[in-house]
């Protein structure tokens, strides 16, 4: 009975979403206030019913209701409660309902945050969000219903895929979805602006915090995904240029370009076309990413062929939103007029370069990701793109970007004086080059030109990001930085730290597969690993062999590490649970694998210098974004009862 | 003015390209066994280990062969419909994959047994010959022992009507399928 | 020269540079494409001399572990042809006999595939799409 209630709630939510989608936009077009006013209550009502539907599915999991097909496919009575909750998004149908829930949450947030906006505008924003909601709900109701019943009811379920039974995997999808879905908000703002026929500095000011917030979620989601892969898969890999990973990275690149482009539009009233197109591209790639990660539809052509209804629906949705957005752009873009110009050496030029280079980077990733799909579809040949290609050609636009980044932070709007800029940046540049050569050579035995260049660029970004905050700290009479400015410097510092992390991990990682008997040792990367012994252990829904290892350096014991080779009986899956010793400078991973016979065990050992910097950098980026979003000026209500553009308060150079 | 339409035109071009490429290719054969004689095999029967079930039992009449296992949730999904077909007289043979004999027998006892007989293929070596890559899969086999159709994923009334019944009507032009009258409308 | 002219020139240079970069990129891309071959294709001599991907079913009872060492031997098949494979290293968790797997490596002089990497990322009940495809194609060829 209760699952049917969930389905009914979803249907009601769908109806409300339709109301939210159609009437406010129609009302704005013909000037009917009553219709426009429906946007907020419809959105709120939609949220309530979506929450009910989601709650019902969670209840079905927690109460072990295996009469629901989705629950039977992804849960088991022996599954720990925490994972029963997370199993809600552990499969296609449930994760789609989760997507809908997250969108409903973003929608009510927009309802609350848009009170100061003119009604013709906010009703259109909510209307577009309603169209997105209705579209995805239609997909869920007609092609991916999570509430389908299973009869006769099995005694127990198939269990959640053991790979997903990990805390990281539990927070990674919600965070990623927060970002994916969040990209619908700037998209809605962009479409609403096109519909209104007006896109000005005020518009940019409204859109920017939402974009940054979605970007923060996306950053966290991707970082968590990378961390999860590293911990759970035990192979020490943090990024494989996998189509699924790429499909979450491309929207991130677009979102990064978008939030920078919005800064220009807000400040100077230019780059309007860029901003609109980036918003449309960001959301389109985000939709593409959602579906690529949740169903193999586009990755495998044959999966598409075996379930054409679902595949067509997805492609239809994608085409509708991106095509609709671009059509609107084609019709209305002539109204987007640039409100100023700028000189060659200026902040605008740096940000233009930023936009261009980020788009190129995204195109590189897109090319590498989609080519196998096309080759398969047209030539029926199976190919995959090697990591070295991605690594090199992704660096081509991004290394120059990092160089520009350092200088761009210290440039001024409209025109920048060359000589003072060079003088200011001379010391950070010198420091970066010197340290970039010194550090690899001193800490490690070998180095390469690429490593030095990359390290120098990473240090350059860190130094230029710290320049302003540190100098203000030292000059006690200087004006304090606003949160937005501080956030910007922090986020860019994060970029620099990230580049350093990637450089050292890529250049100096050491890996070894060894066969060890209890008592044997292996030497790797300056460390010594000794296997003490291997013992059987039992867990809640698995049995395992646990190996105990000693990690030594120069003869002294660093730590004792335990790794397990687990067997999950229900799914009959074997899984390695790796041991990871973390220090700020490096990680050591020991992964116990199969029994090799003759008392020996397969063991994989990695030493990874600098890997923590990678994630620390991402964290700093996200924190910087959060800091910027909480800046005072976004929390000030703006009286914009008339549609005349309000002049923004001139801020000091910085944002 | 028209330069604003460039992004849209590009997207449409990509879309057309994509759609063309991903359209169902009619020459794509879902099973290389279609139209070919079934593989020869002989496996112990699930219910009676002393007896065997093999290709001999499948020839000479129109039958269904259904690959299943107790570990396969989708198989449970289609089980009710298989029982309906069996009750209407459709002869269905089972191919029990990678299973534990006791659990499989328990399943049939609890949920009902739609199979005339089930082959017990504990390590799925027999399945390899059939090109069975997963469960559930259902084969339609003709009088002459040739594979007429293969369906992957659960058997439902919709699949039965859309894919199996038309082929059956052609194949059973002679009065070889006593079940067609009762089962054809399911 | 007006600033606009200056900018156009700069953009022009940038585009030219990009065109050159794209050319190199596409060339490197083609060299980095890893092609997939089935055992039948390898048996027919279609496989290249450099690194490629080989996929198939691990034949039951073909798996041999050299006791106490990381080296394993097994046979990959598409039900028509078989290729012996050798791998030294830790096998992925999902590797088992009767499953479809993909291995990356090259053929040695004796016709054995020496694998550098073994991939078994998929749900153990299902097969990598490339392998299922290869199986179907192999059957087709034999039937002809």
């Amino acid at each position: 009975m209760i699952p049917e209630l969930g389905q009914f709630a979803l249907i009601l939510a769908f109806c409300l979403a339709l109301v939210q989608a159609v009437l406010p936009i129609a009302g704005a077009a013909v000037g009917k206030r009553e219709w426009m006013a429906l946007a907020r209550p419809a959105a709120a009502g939609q949220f309530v019913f979506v929450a009910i539907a989601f709650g019902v599915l969670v209840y079905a999991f927690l109460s072990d209701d295996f009469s629901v097909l989705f629950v039977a496919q992804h849960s088991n009575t022996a599954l720990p409660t925490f994972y029963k909750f997370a199993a809600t998004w552990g499969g296609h149908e449930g994760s789609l309902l989760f997507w809908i829930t997250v969108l409903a949450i973003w929608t009510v947030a927009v309802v609350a945050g848009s009170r100061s906006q003119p009604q013709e505008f906010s009703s259109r924003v909510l209307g577009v969000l309603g169209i997105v909601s209705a579209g995805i709900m239609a997909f869920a109701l007609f092609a991916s219903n999570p509430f389908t019943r299973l009869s006769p009811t099995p005694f127990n379920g198939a269990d959640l895929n053991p790979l997903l039974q990990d805390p990281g995997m539990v927070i990674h999808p919600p965070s990623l979805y927060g970002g994916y879905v969040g990209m619908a908000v700037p998209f809605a703002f962009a479409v609403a602006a096109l519909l209104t026929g007006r896109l000005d500095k005020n518009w940019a000011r409204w859109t920017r915090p939402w974009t940054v917030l979605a970007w923060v979620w996306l950053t966290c989601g991707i970082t968590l995904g990378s961390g999860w892969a590293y911990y759970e898969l035990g192979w020490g890999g943090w990024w494989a240029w996998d189509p699924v990973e790429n499909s979450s990275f491309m929207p991130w690149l677009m979102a990064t370009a978008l939030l920078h482009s919005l800064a220009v539009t807000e400040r100077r009233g230019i780059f309007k076309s860029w901003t609109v197109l980036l918003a449309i591209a960001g959301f389109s790639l985000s939709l593409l990413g959602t579906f690529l990660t949740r169903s193999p539809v586009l990755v495998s052509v044959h999966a598409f062929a075996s379930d054409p209804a679902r595949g067509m629906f997805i492609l239809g949705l994608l085409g509708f939103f991106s095509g609709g957005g671009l059509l609107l752009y084609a019709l209305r873009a002539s109204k987007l007029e640039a409100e100023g110009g700028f000189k060659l050496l200026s902040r605008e030029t740096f940000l233009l370069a930023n936009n261009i280079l980020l788009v190129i980077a995204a195109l590189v990733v897109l090319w590498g990701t989609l080519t196998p799909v096309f080759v398969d579809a047209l030539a029926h040949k199976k190919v995959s793109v090697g990591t070295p290609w991605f690594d090199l050609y992704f660096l081509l636009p991004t290394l120059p970007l990092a160089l520009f980044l350092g200088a761009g932070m210290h440039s001024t709007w409209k025109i920048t004086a060359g000589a003072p800029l060079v003088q200011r940046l001379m010391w950070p540049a010198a420091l970066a080059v010197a340290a970039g050569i010194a550090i690899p050579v001193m800490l490690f035995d070998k180095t390469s030109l690429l490593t030095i260049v990359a390290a120098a660029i990473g240090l350059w970004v860190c130094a230029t990001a710290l320049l302003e905050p540190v100098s203000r700290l030292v000059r006690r009479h200087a004006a304090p930085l606003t949160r937005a400015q501080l956030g910007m410097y922090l986020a860019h510092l994060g970029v620099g730290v990230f580049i350093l992390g990637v450089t050292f991990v890529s250049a100096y990682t050491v890996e070894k597969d060894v066969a060890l008997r209890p008592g044997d040792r292996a030497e790797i990367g300056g460390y010594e690993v000794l296997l003490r012994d291997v013992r059987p252990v039992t867990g809640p829904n698995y049995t395992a062999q646990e190996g105990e290892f000693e990690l030594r350096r120069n003869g002294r014991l660093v730590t004792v590490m335990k790794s397990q080779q687990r067997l999950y009986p229900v799914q009959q899956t074997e899984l390695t649970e790796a041991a990871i010793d973390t220090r700020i400078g490096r990680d050591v991973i020991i992964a116990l694998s199969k029994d090799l016979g003759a008392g020996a065990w397969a063991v994989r050992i990695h030493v990874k210098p600098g890997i923590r910097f990678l994630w620390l950098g991402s964290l700093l980026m996200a924190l910087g974004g959060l800091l910027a979003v909480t800046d005072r000026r976004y929390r000030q209500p703006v009286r914009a009862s008339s549609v005349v553009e309000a002049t923004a308060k001139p801020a000091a150079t910085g944002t | 003015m028209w330069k604003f339409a460039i992004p849209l035109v590009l997207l449409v071009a990509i879309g057309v390209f994509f759609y063309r490429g991903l359209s169902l290719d009619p020459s794509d054969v879902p099973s290389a066994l279609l139209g070919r004689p079934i593989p020869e095999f002989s496996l112990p029967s699930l219910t009676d280990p002393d007896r065997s079930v093999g290709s001999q039992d499948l020839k000479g009449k129109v039958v269904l062969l259904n690959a299943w296992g107790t570990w396969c949730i989708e198989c449970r999904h289609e089980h009710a419909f298989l029982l309906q077909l069996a009750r209407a007289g459709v002869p269905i043979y089972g191919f029990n994959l990678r299973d534990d004999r006791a659990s499989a027998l328990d399943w049939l006892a609890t949920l009902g047994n739609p199979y005339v007989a089930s082959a017990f293929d504990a390590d799925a070596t027999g399945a390899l010959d059939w090109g069975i890559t997963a469960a559930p899969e259902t084969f339609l086999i003709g009088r002459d022992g040739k594979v007429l159709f293969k369906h992957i994923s659960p058997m439902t009334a919709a699949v039965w009507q859309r894919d199996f019944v038309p082929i059956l009507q052609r194949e059973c032009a002679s009065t070889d399928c006593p079940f067609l009258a009762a089962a054809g409308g399911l | 020269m007006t600033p606009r002219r200056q900018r156009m020139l700069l953009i022009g240079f940038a585009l030219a540079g990009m065109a050159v970069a794209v050319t190199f990129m596409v060339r490197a891309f083609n060299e980095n494409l890893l092609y997939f071959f089935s055992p039948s294709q390898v048996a027919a001599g279609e496989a290249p001399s450099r690194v490629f991907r080989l996929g198939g079913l691990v034949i039951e009872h073909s798996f041999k572990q050299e006791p106490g060492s990381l080296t394993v031997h097994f046979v990959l098949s598409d039900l028509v042809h078989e290729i012996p494979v050798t791998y030294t290293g830790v096998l992925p968790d999902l590797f088992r006999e009767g499953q479809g797997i993909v291995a990356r490596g090259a053929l040695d002089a004796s016709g054995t595939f020496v694998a550098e990497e073994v991939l078994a990322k998929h749900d153990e009940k299902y097969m990598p799409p490339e392998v299922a495809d290869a199986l179907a194609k192999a059957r087709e060829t034999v039937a002809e």
Side-chain angles (χ1 to χ4, degrees), chain A residues 94 126 131 136 162 175 253 314 319 430 454 486 507 510 564 581 600-601 605:
Chain A
L126 290 170
I131 298 178
I136 310 291
S175 181
L253 291 168
I314 290 173
L486 202 58
V510 196
Q564 291 178 351
D581 181 56
W601 290 83
I605 312 173

Side-chain angles (χ1 to χ4, degrees), chain A residues 550-564:
Chain A
E550 281 180 13
L551 183 67
R552 290 175 176 276
R553 195 182 173 92
N554 297 326
R556 280 173 56 238
L557 180 69
V558 173
T559 183
V560 173
M561 297 166 69
K562 294 191 185 158
S563 169
Q564 291 178 351

Side-chain angles (χ1 to χ4, degrees), chain A residues 50-61:
Chain A
V50 166
I52 291 176
F54 187 70
V56 166
L57 190 61
V58 170
Y59 176 72
F61 268 98

Side-chain angles (χ1 to χ4, degrees), chain A residues 176-381:
Chain A
L176 201 58
Y177 275 40
Y180 275 147
V181 178
M183 291 304 287
V185 180
F187 174 74
F189 274 82
V191 172
L194 288 174
L195 285 172
T196 318
R198 193 173 43 256
L199 196 145
D200 53 21
K201 295 179 182 175
N202 260 345
W203 172 87
R205 188 149 159 277
W206 293 328
T207 313
R208 210 166 153 201
W210 296 107
T211 309
V212 176
L213 210 53
W215 176 88
V216 168
W217 279 105
L218 210 47
T219 308
C220 289
I222 296 175
T223 309
L224 284 168
S226 162
W228 164 75
Y230 180 77
Y231 273 94
E232 186 59 19
L233 298 182
W235 303 131
W238 61 273
W239 192 259
W241 293 113
D242 188 73
V244 162
E245 289 172 332
N246 294 347
S247 68
S248 68
F249 192 47
M250 288 184 285
W252 185 88
L253 291 168
M254 292 291 99
T256 309
L258 178 61
L259 64 90
H260 286 91
S261 193
L262 277 167
V264 183
T265 308
E266 182 186 352
R267 191 58 202 269
R268 305 271 299 126
I270 55 175
F271 288 13
K272 293 180 180 182
S273 276
W274 268 106
T275 306
V276 169
L277 288 172
L278 284 171
I280 295 175
F283 181 57
S284 305
L285 286 170
S286 167
L287 272 182
L288 184 68
T290 308
F291 293 116
L292 272 178
T293 53
R294 268 300 141 212
S295 58
V297 159
L298 294 171
V299 174
S300 162
V301 178
H302 298 266
F304 177 80
S306 69
D307 197 348
R310 224 179 234 193
M312 289 310 288
F313 210 132
I314 290 173
L315 281 181
L317 276 175
L318 272 170
F320 175 67
F321 286 114
S322 41
L326 289 180
L327 177 66
L328 205 52
Y329 174 78
L331 293 172
R332 290 293 176 90
S334 49
K335 300 210 177 147
L336 304 175
E337 272 176 26
E339 294 171 32
F342 55 96
K343 299 286 179 216
L344 187 61
L345 190 63
S346 64
R347 197 164 210 154
E348 288 90 327
T349 305
F350 280 109
L351 286 169
L352 179 63
N354 171 79
N355 274 359
I356 295 175
L357 289 171
L358 280 170
V359 168
I360 293 177
L363 285 174
V364 166
V365 178
L366 190 66
W367 176 275
T369 309
L370 286 185
T371 302
V373 178
F374 283 122
V375 170
D376 184 9
L378 300 176
H380 293 285
K381 273 210 177 90

